[in-house]
């Protein structure tokens, strides 16, 4: 197994619902913490409807391991932010048998 190069500082964010004052809600994102990561791009593609097309690229994002239930362990539907770039976390698994690192399968979407 190759050495992991944690050279990118990402902010881990959690979705929060905020009341809109009219009986509904809006979705916002709140920072949970910062994690050093290695980002490796995968395959890309396009999806969309009649009005908007999204270009989508999948990534493998590796971070330090953390036990189940720890706030430092990313979970699906959270996201990583690096400046204006946002990576939605789709799945998380151990990178190595000892659990020293975790691999997050993520998707970056950008309107085009």
């Amino acid at each position: 197994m190759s050495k992991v190069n944690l050279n990118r500082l990402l902010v881990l964010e959690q979705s929060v619902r905020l009341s809109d004052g009219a009986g509904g809600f809006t979705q916002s994102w709140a920072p949970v913490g910062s994690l050093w990561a290695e980002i490796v791009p995968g395959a890309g593609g396009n999806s969309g409807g009649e009005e908007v097309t999204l270009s989508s690229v999948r990534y493998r994002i590796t971070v330090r391991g953390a036990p189940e239930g720890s706030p430092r362990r990313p979970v699906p539907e959270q996201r990583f932010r690096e400046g204006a770039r946002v990576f939605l976390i789709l799945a998380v698994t151990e990178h190595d048998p000892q659990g020293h690192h975790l691999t997050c399968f993520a998707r970056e979407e950008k309107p085009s």
Side-chain angles (χ1 to χ4, degrees), residues 4-46:
V4 177
N5 185 17
L6 304 177
N7 62 352
R8 310 266 292 268
L9 185 59
L10 304 179
V11 175
L12 179 63
E13 297 180 331
Q14 174 72 46
S15 175
V16 292
R17 288 182 166 190
L18 302 172
S19 172
D20 67 3
F25 67 90
T26 59
Q27 180 182 4
S28 185
W29 293 89
V32 175
S34 297
L35 300 170
W36 285 98
E38 174 183 69
I39 301 176
V40 177
N46 289 325

Side-chain angles (χ1 to χ4, degrees), residues 24-101:
F25 67 90
T26 59
Q27 180 182 4
S28 185
W29 293 89
V32 175
S34 297
L35 300 170
W36 285 98
E38 174 183 69
I39 301 176
V40 177
N46 289 325
S47 64
E50 295 177 18
E51 296 180 22
V52 177
T53 300
L54 295 176
S55 61
S56 175
V57 178
R58 303 251 176 178
Y59 289 86
R60 282 192 337 263
I61 300 175
T62 304
V63 298
R64 291 196 193 283
E68 290 279 342
S70 168
R72 295 198 54 82
R73 184 184 178 104
V75 296
E77 298 184 14
Q78 287 181 325
R79 70 185 193 179
F80 290 115
R81 175 179 292 280
E82 182 182 42
R85 296 180 74 185
V86 175
F87 305 90
L88 179 64
I89 301 170
L90 305 171
V92 179
T93 189
E94 281 71 23
H95 177 79
D96 53 86
Q98 298 80 19
H100 294 149
H101 294 94

